[in-house]
Amino acid sequence: MEAYPEGYIVHNVPLLVLSGLGPDHLHTPADSVEQSYPLLAQRGFKIGSEVPPVANETADRLLQDFLHLDSRNAAWNGRLEKNKFVFRMKAIGRKYILPPHKADAPQVSPTLPATPMSPASKPSSLPILHSPLSPLSPESTTFPDGVMTPLWVDKHQSLLPAAFVSFFTFTSDPSRSTLCDNQLKTEINKIKRVFESSSYKTRFVVVLLSESSILGAEADERLSAIRRATGLDNKTSLFFLPPDSSRVEIQNFAVTVLSTVYPLCVEYYRDLSKHSRRKRNRGIIPPPTIPPTSGTSQTLPSQGWNVRYEYKLGVFAEFRQEMDAAGRSYEGAYESLLGQEVFEIIASWSPRFNEARLLADTIAIRIIRCLLWNGQTTSAVQSWSNHRSRLRDLVDRRGKGSSNYGWEAWEARWATVMAELLQKAELPELLAPPGAPEKQVGPDCTSIFMPPEKGALVGDTLLPSDHLHHPGYWFNQSVSHLRTRRTFAEAMPEEDRVSPGQSPASQVASKSYLYDTYLCPEPHIESPLPGHKGIDHSALIVDALQQSIAEFRARGQKRAEERLKLDVAKEFMGQSSWAEAQEVLEPLWQSMSWRKEGWWELVEEVGWALKDCASRTGDSHTFLAVEWELMNEVFALMPGWNYNFSDSLNGLQHIKTRPHVSLKSGNIVSFMSATYCFESLEGNVGESVISQLVLKSRAHKGSAPITFSQISINYIGSSRTIQLRNPDTPQGPNGFSSGSLVLMDVSLSEVPRADHLPAQPQTTASALLLEGKASLTFFPGQTKVFSFSNIFREAGEVRVDCVIFSLKEPLFDLDCSSTIESLNSSNHWWANGTSGIKKRPIARVDPSALKILPRPPKMEIQVPTMRDQYFTDEMVTIQILVLNEEEEEAEATLDLRLLSRSEKVPEVIWSQKHNRQSDVSNDDSSEDNHIGLPGHSIGKLRPTASALESVSFATTSEPTEYVLEIKVLYHLLSDLETPISKTLTANILIVRPFEANYDFQPQIHHDKWPSFFQLGELAEDDELDEASLPKAVGIAQSWHVASKIASFAVQKLVVEDTELLMIDSNGGRVSCSINPQGYGGHMPLELLHGDMVERSFVLDARKLTLEDRNGVSLDLALVIKWRRPEPDAEQNVTSLAAPRLAIRYGEPRVLASAYPSKEIPALTCLDYYMENPSMHLLTFDVSMEASEDFAFSGPKLGSLQVLPLSRRVVRYSLLPSARGTWIQPQLKVVDRYFNKTLKVIPTTGMRMDKQGILVWVDADEEW
């Protein structure tokens, strides 16, 4: 759309002038409208101010935020992304000029007499002045019969703002505030008077920016004074930006100002629409300033004035973004313009004819924009087509016809206009999806074309061309017209192409009637003579094609993109730009989709074109690659071309170096095809596998045979490579042949790789390849089957990766990598029979794949001494027996892993001494010997030989489960490259051999307690003893610890000893002694599964000092020393943790002890020990409750005082009423001071329940 004036095609948005804000480099530069607008500097309304612009960091940020909200480059659609306003921002300084209302009065020469028609004849009447752009003003370019000028749209879009925003500094200096405020009032009122004198309804807005902090009340008072003095509305015309505003606050302030001003601007353009509508409704043509010259020109008719008014109404509606109303006004102006009274009466030779065409084009553009804005896509296409048809009819009837380069130039431009309108509109349905070039877009994707809107042409049939397609379609449509334009230009006679300065005047006049130069150059520029500059039609076509390619590529339309690229290359080739053409064709030839889809004619066309370019640029690599593909018989024969690939470069010039070409069959259509088949589905490592390679030549019939230097077969899953080479000396026909089919058996031998490094050992598989000799000459249509056997050394899946054809010629080298064709009719197994070569189908999905199974191991692994159960804290020893059942001598190693769920895994130790049978070879005893296998070396084993190894490890203290994985890795001495392995796994269960429960019961410590009156002597003895060893002199407590040990082993174990150990103490230093108390059996003791034995211990704990009476807790462990029943079994130690024993030293307690009376057998003595370990004198109230089960003697009720650090005993004699039963004496002990009842604690031989202690009365038969 560059050919049309910007004012005619720009999307109109309200103009907002920002005055006095920011530095000059951020201001909008002066445009061409300000320079070309008539009388702007002479009669325009000048706005100025003596106050300098606001220049600080806040002003710069605010100006940037305003300019960031500029909508001049926004999409031409109705989707407002964030803000509900649109503006075109114009940043200026303090000076601005508004366009004048009236033109200058015409000047009458004083030497000429006044005529009746002259205004000078009536001195009292002045001429009627009109706008400088009106057809009524003599100075206007539209005088007297012009319809419209783009300067009118430029006036409202670039010069006359809808809102004028002035920015001033609001000072915070108290000494200057009054002076500055008065100056602000003066400047604001001066600007307001300019707008009032101009009669423009532009909205005037003032924004005040505070310098620094100022009190809110003071600022409000000053702002109110300014508002009253200037008459500004505080809500819509006066804004205040507080100081120290943040970045976000400044942005929000700019949005607030624009949001407030936008409705006022809409009302401004609505007032202008009302003014134009009133002038149209009058139906009166205003008189011109001076009448036009009679006989030579005429004034604009009434229909022309209606076109002006409708056009203005449409523009004002577009300013308001009311595109429905704008579209209706534009359609009215369009119909009136092309009516009988406007366009039809303009002479085709008149400049007004092209001006009317220009106006009609731009009105049609605005109509299409309105339709796209409102979503009427089908109507937009039909409007585009309707304008083209009407203009063609008009040009054919009244213009210079449509069979010339001028019309084709307009057709191309009109198609380009539609494409650019769609790009500007950014319709979401036609936008390219993200990542579209990487993924193929389906044909029904809405990004290619849009379906018709609802209600479009109801009852009629829509053509495919009535759908709105993406811009690439329209760019491509312009290409055909550009080519036709070039055809017309090239067909012009030579005399019409001569420059006007070199042609007679009559010939120049005749050319002006023959050729249509509307928006296009003259004939001598359109098709210049040799040696003259002019239009480059090929550049125009290529540019349109490139734009179309970009749109098709963005939507994934690969076929259309490739077709257009081929057209671009043809244009370059037509201009002999071979390098540029090859730059386009080479990537197209490598990746075109036509090859995969079998469109061979297009592939052939691209190939021959690229080959032609490569031959002219001397690109031998590309030339050979294309020649290789064109040898395929799927392409048509080129008459006169010599199909001999070996001589392809003969006669080719500009070859600098010997080319080496590498090709892949996936990127080209090779004339050599390859299939590969294994005879069986599975094979074993080290065993021979038979396979066949089938190669077929699909070269053109009559082409020369081709002889390859070598053919290589690469595998996936194996490092071996097979190479087929021609024999050193020519041989006669070998194998079996039947017509064009040849079947050959090839023997393979190992040879070193040519690219192998000498420092590497030659015995590894990576350093060797398999080589076979066979004839590698292929005639057109010939098929050769190579059959050979191969041995794979690695287990896994093996498949053929590719077959590489290598060709070495005197002038070039070529390698073509061909993938294996599968699932086709060539997958057969070929064999020679009595009646010739026969084939049988292979019923496998992928015959080129083979599953290599590991070689079946014949080495046996046994663990003869494995037990079902092992125990914690035990040293485990396992013997491993390896038996060689191979038919050959083998060399083996052992690898052992111990797996567990826990993080800590014990270390496995191999025994230094291991037993072997006599038939085990000990040649590997040398330290320098290395068999190349990882693990613990066993050595060489002859057939049926065995070796015995042993490993040991220590179990942990916690029960767990291990998995023992034993792997024997060996190879036969006859095949050192094939490792064979066998694995044996065994579960090892680790359990605790014993479990124990514990019973803690306090006892009476019979040592005397210290006397309260002898504490000083005890302290002196302690000090004397500290020099040697600390002596425990504190309070002592005795406890009885009973443990019951149960065996959880499934087999018999021997317990040799048990002991109770104190592991740790918490809460203070304590002296602890533990002594066993009667075993109840002899040691060692044999325990079977489930057997239980009881062990008792006496624990005496004494504090080191009397002052330390803090409680302690003891961590105890029961240690059991045991072994298995075998005589040579080692002793193991198992430690079982006991519950923590808490001992309290600082609290009083009551212990009960019962025993039979020695004097009177029928009596039971019951002693109560009341202990006071504190430093306080305690008084206890003691009361014994009577019971029917026994009679007692002792204090029934009384009180007892206990000195600090002492204890007292209260004794009762009980006479039970029955024997052989439990009796329950109830003694209540209450601390008188704390009023706390002490709990009576039973000792050894007593029990306790919820009611209290229980005493056992022995049965006496004599009683």
Side-chain angles (χ1 to χ4, degrees), residues 52-71:
V54 183
N56 51 47
E57 184 178 358
T58 302
D60 295 348
R61 290 183 178 179
L62 183 59
L63 179 58
Q64 292 175 4
D65 292 336
F66 274 113
L67 297 179
H68 180 70
L69 298 173
D70 195 312
S71 303

Side-chain angles (χ1 to χ4, degrees), residues 704-830:
I706 186 169
T707 301
F708 296 101
S709 59
Q710 73 177 29
I711 297 177
S712 304
I713 307 172
N714 294 333
Y715 296 93
I716 298 176
S718 176
S719 59
R720 289 289 185 102
T721 299
I722 297 178
Q723 284 187 357
L724 301 180
R725 295 179 178 272
N726 282 304
D728 298 334
T729 58
Q731 299 177 357
N734 57 348
F736 306 94
S737 61
S738 177
S740 61
L741 178 64
V742 179
L743 176 62
M744 292 182 290
D745 291 331
V746 181
S747 59
L748 303 177
S749 59
E750 292 184 346
V751 296
R753 289 179 179 267
D755 56 350
H756 186 71
L757 298 178
Q760 297 179 351
Q762 295 287 343
T763 57
T764 60
S766 60
L768 301 175
L769 56 84
L770 298 176
E771 184 180 82
K773 301 291 186 178
S775 174
L776 303 183
T777 300
F778 290 84
F779 291 86
Q782 187 179 29
T783 301
K784 287 190 176 183
V785 181
F786 302 92
S787 181
F788 40 78
S789 62
N790 192 5
I791 298 177
F792 294 96
R793 304 297 185 183
E794 300 173 0
E797 186 180 18
V798 176
R799 64 174 62 247
V800 179
D801 182 18
C802 62
V803 177
I804 302 176
F805 300 91
S806 299
L807 189 64
K808 290 186 179 296
E809 297 292 340
L811 295 179
F812 64 89
D813 296 335
L814 183 139
D815 292 331
C816 180
S817 175
S818 176
T819 56
I820 298 301
E821 299 180 4
S822 59
L823 298 179
N824 55 30
S825 59
S826 299
N827 289 331
H828 295 88
W829 187 262
W830 302 85

Side-chain angles (χ1 to χ4, degrees), residues 836-1109:
I837 300 177
K838 295 183 179 181
K839 63 179 180 180
R840 58 180 175 86
I842 298 178
R844 295 201 303 269
V845 176
D846 189 2
S848 63
L850 177 68
K851 186 176 183 181
I852 302 298
L853 302 176
R855 182 164 183 162
K858 297 181 181 179
M859 194 78 72
E860 293 294 330
I861 306 174
Q862 299 177 5
V863 281
T865 61
M866 176 70 73
R867 299 180 183 271
D868 296 335
Q869 192 180 68
Y870 291 92
F871 306 110
T872 58
D873 304 311
E874 181 183 14
M875 180 62 70
V876 177
T877 301
I878 300 175
Q879 293 182 347
I880 303 173
L881 178 65
V882 179
L883 178 61
N884 182 17
E885 295 185 355
E886 294 280 356
E887 297 178 355
E888 305 177 30
E889 188 175 3
E891 196 170 24
T893 61
L894 274 177
D895 187 17
L896 188 141
R897 289 197 308 166
L898 198 61
L899 307 177
S900 175
R901 295 181 179 177
S902 61
E903 296 181 357
K904 296 183 180 180
V905 178
E907 181 182 0
V908 179
I909 303 173
W910 290 92
S911 176
Q912 296 295 330
K913 296 181 180 180
H914 49 269
N915 301 321
R916 295 182 178 176
Q917 303 294 335
S918 59
D919 49 2
V920 177
S921 175
N922 291 322
D923 295 341
D924 59 344
S925 59
S926 175
E927 294 181 358
D928 297 335
N929 186 34
H930 179 68
I931 65 176
L933 295 176
H936 180 73
S937 176
I938 297 177
K940 298 178 181 178
L941 296 177
R942 298 185 181 92
T944 69
S946 63
L948 185 64
E949 302 285 342
S950 62
V951 295
S952 59
F953 62 91
T955 60
T956 61
S957 300
E958 297 295 330
T960 185
E961 184 177 2
Y962 298 123
V963 176
L964 181 63
E965 182 180 273
I966 306 172
K967 181 179 179 181
V968 59
L969 183 64
Y970 68 97
H971 53 217
L972 303 178
L973 296 183
S974 62
D975 187 6
L976 298 179
E977 295 185 5
T978 304
I980 309 172
S981 64
K982 186 172 183 179
T983 303
L984 175 67
T985 58
N987 293 332
I988 301 178
L989 184 62
I990 308 298
V991 299
R992 283 196 180 97
F994 307 100
E995 292 289 346
N997 55 15
Y998 305 88
D999 183 22
F1000 298 96
Q1001 197 168 22
Q1003 291 191 140
I1004 303 299
H1005 199 285
H1006 295 286
D1007 291 351
K1008 291 184 179 181
W1009 278 46
S1011 174
F1012 179 72
F1013 302 101
Q1014 298 177 350
L1015 295 178
E1017 298 177 1
L1018 295 175
E1020 292 177 0
D1021 296 341
D1022 188 19
E1023 292 176 359
L1024 294 175
D1025 199 45
E1026 283 181 358
S1028 56
L1029 293 174
K1031 179 181 179 182
V1033 296
I1035 298 174
Q1037 291 191 13
S1038 180
W1039 290 78
H1040 177 266
V1041 182
S1043 63
K1044 294 181 180 180
I1045 304 172
S1047 174
F1048 277 47
V1050 296
Q1051 61 187 62
K1052 182 171 62 175
L1053 298 179
V1054 179
V1055 178
E1056 295 183 342
D1057 192 12
T1058 60
E1059 60 178 332
L1060 185 67
L1061 300 179
M1062 185 187 73
I1063 306 302
D1064 193 11
S1065 62
N1066 301 303
R1069 300 179 64 186
V1070 63
S1071 175
C1072 183
S1073 64
I1074 303 175
N1075 299 310
Q1077 185 180 22
Y1079 282 110
H1082 299 282
M1083 289 293 181
L1085 182 65
E1086 295 183 354
L1087 294 181
L1088 299 176
H1089 179 70
D1091 290 352
M1092 184 176 295
V1093 62
E1094 184 174 352
R1095 291 290 181 266
S1096 299
F1097 304 89
V1098 176
L1099 185 149
D1100 293 335
R1102 183 188 294 274
K1103 283 285 188 172
L1104 297 183
T1105 62
L1106 286 174
E1107 290 80 6
D1108 185 7
R1109 290 182 295 277

